[in-house]
Amino acid sequence: MKKASIRMYQAAEGWRDFTQIVADTTGPLIDTISIVGTCGPTATWKYTPHNKTLSILGSGVMTDYNNTNNIPWYVYKDDIDTFVVAQGITSIGQASCYQFQNLKYINIPNSVTSIGNNAFRNCTLLNNVTLSTNLVSLGNSAFRDCVSLESIILPNSLTNLGIIVFSECSSLKTVSLPINLTSIPEYTFYKCTSLENISIPNNVRSIDEYAFYHCDALRNITIPNNTTSIGKSAFAYCKALQSVALN
């Protein structure tokens, strides 16, 4: 892209509304255009088209987005394949990457303690997720319909797991649940048809309705002694289920 074209971007409808359009002239042949703006009191965002990366920079909480029309980078959702968050950011805003169907990689630093509702819902190519080891809260439908996600490790710091978090993640095979979890909420693994085995932590007291509904590949499950409540259809249509052990 020629240097003069930065003026064209700054003048063009749709682009001129952004806080800044920055040309990185370090490259010998082309400029790298970055689009930047704010996404929290002390947080900013930057989208760099040439490497398809959305970066969240700064510190503190991100804005929660209740409507996709309010997400400032939503116009680029079909191009972004990498989501990178800087150390110092403490939350991932609600619906931050909702329906980003080409997103493949996310990296959440250890400063993040919460991920909002629908943050990565329906990211159909997402298959590489690194979560903060200090994550406390994972919102409703955070990874719902992420059909390419095969495995995930939930850190032991996690105590607040929302509903429908991994619903219809049809490629999900392995999940590591945190030891301090006290309930598996409703629809958590609903129609996770590739899930074969899962270890339920000893502190889990309730397995709520439809938690493992239609987990077609689930073969074995051990329910700890502390579990006193199993909700309606929690294990319905688990066609391959061979054994249920009470521990």
Side-chain angles (χ1 to χ4, degrees), residues 5 10 17 31 53 89 116 121 124-125 128 207 231 234:
S5 65
Q10 290 168 331
D17 296 329
D31 296 338
T53 298
I89 297 294
R121 180 179 173 180
T124 56
L125 292 184
N128 192 321
I207 300 171

Side-chain angles (χ1 to χ4, degrees), residues 107-214:
N107 195 325
I108 310 298
N110 292 336
S111 57
V112 170
T113 59
S114 69
I115 295 176
N117 299 343
N118 299 303
F120 301 102
R121 180 179 173 180
N122 203 24
C123 292
T124 56
L125 292 184
L126 182 63
N127 58 18
N128 192 321
V129 176
T130 302
L131 294 177
S132 164
T133 58
N134 295 310
L135 189 67
V136 174
S137 178
L138 186 57
N140 300 340
S141 298
F143 290 98
R144 182 179 178 179
D145 297 318
C146 291
V147 297
S148 296
L149 187 65
E150 295 185 1
S151 66
I152 194 164
I153 297 174
L154 300 179
N156 287 330
S157 56
L158 184 69
T159 56
N160 183 13
L161 183 64
I163 64 172
I164 329 177
V165 171
F166 298 106
S167 176
E168 299 189 77
C169 290
S170 56
S171 296
L172 189 64
K173 294 179 180 179
T174 61
V175 180
S176 176
L177 294 175
I179 59 174
N180 293 319
L181 197 66
T182 59
S183 70
I184 299 177
E186 58 196 80
Y187 295 90
T188 298
F189 298 106
Y190 178 87
K191 290 190 177 180
C192 288
T193 53
S194 297
L195 187 65
E196 295 181 354
N197 296 287
I198 192 164
S199 178
I200 298 178
N202 288 331
N203 288 322
V204 169
R205 294 179 174 82
S206 67
I207 300 171
D208 295 343
E209 60 183 29
Y210 299 97
F212 295 95
Y213 180 89
H214 239 307

Side-chain angles (χ1 to χ4, degrees), residues 11-71:
E13 184 177 355
W15 288 76
R16 61 183 175 223
D17 296 329
F18 293 104
T19 304
Q20 282 185 305
I21 301 172
V22 180
D24 179 356
T25 57
T26 56
L29 298 177
I30 64 170
D31 296 338
T32 299
I33 300 295
S34 294
I35 305 96
V36 303
T38 60
C39 57
T42 54
T44 60
W45 64 274
K46 179 175 73 171
Y47 172 54
T48 308
H50 90 96
N51 62 11
K52 301 181 180 181
T53 298
L54 174 65
S55 302
I56 306 300
L57 308 170
S59 61
V61 299
M62 280 183 66
T63 300
D64 284 325
Y65 299 101
N66 295 317
N67 188 315
T68 55
N69 292 331
N70 298 327
I71 302 173

Side-chain angles (χ1 to χ4, degrees), residues 70-87:
N70 298 327
I71 302 173
W73 50 82
Y74 197 72
V75 67
Y76 310 112
K77 74 181 184 69
D78 292 332
D79 299 316
I80 294 169
D81 70 10
T82 301
F83 180 73
V84 177
V85 181
Q87 181 72 22

